[in-house]
Amino acid sequence: MVTKEELPACPVATTVQLIGSKWKLLIMRNLLDRPWRFNELRKDSEGISQKVLTDSLRSMEKDGIITRTVYPEVPPRVEYASSELGESMRPIIKAMEQWGLDYKNRD
């Protein structure tokens, strides 16, 4: 997790640093709907490499935006979900969705 002192002074830059990558935004979009397993996220995010997905999930977990739950089963089952902090991003993602729809529907 980045310390508050290491974050940019600009709040928009802070948000971009935490979720500004293409993949992190799409991962958040999915996790706001329901918990997902790693391979589900990988299949849904066409074009993402396993390494980029792994790095993105680890970073988001470290920043407290998502949670990772390992179930004691054989084989182990791991699910990723939006954390309480991640849930606070719902209005941001919804606003982006609405903007995209409005853009696509403009004359």
Side-chain angles (χ1 to χ4, degrees), residues 61-81:
E61 181 184 12
K62 186 175 75 168
D63 292 330
I65 297 168
I66 66 169
T67 60
R68 179 179 183 265
T69 304
V70 180
Y71 294 92
E73 302 172 353
V74 177
R77 177 172 51 108
V78 178
E79 286 186 345
Y80 296 90

Side-chain angles (χ1 to χ4, degrees), residues 26-106:
L26 296 176
I27 291 166
M28 263 326 291
R29 176 204 61 195
N30 288 349
L31 296 181
L32 285 170
D33 284 339
R34 64 174 176 85
W36 287 63
R37 295 178 71 176
F38 183 89
N39 283 330
E40 290 179 307
L41 287 167
R42 188 162 174 220
K43 288 176 187 170
D44 189 73
S45 305
E46 191 172 322
I48 193 170
S49 70
Q50 183 169 336
K51 180 184 181 343
V52 169
L53 179 56
T54 299
D55 290 349
S56 296
L57 289 168
R58 285 182 182 160
S59 171
M60 294 168 76
E61 181 184 12
K62 186 175 75 168
D63 292 330
I65 297 168
I66 66 169
T67 60
R68 179 179 183 265
T69 304
V70 180
Y71 294 92
E73 302 172 353
V74 177
R77 177 172 51 108
V78 178
E79 286 186 345
Y80 296 90
S82 176
S83 68
E84 188 175 328
L85 178 60
E87 285 294 323
S88 70
M89 292 183 179
R90 186 177 297 278
I92 297 168
I93 303 296
K94 282 294 182 191
M96 292 176 75
E97 177 185 27
Q98 187 58 55
W99 190 90
L101 288 170
D102 292 347
Y103 183 85
K104 286 174 129 181
N105 292 327
R106 71 186 177 118

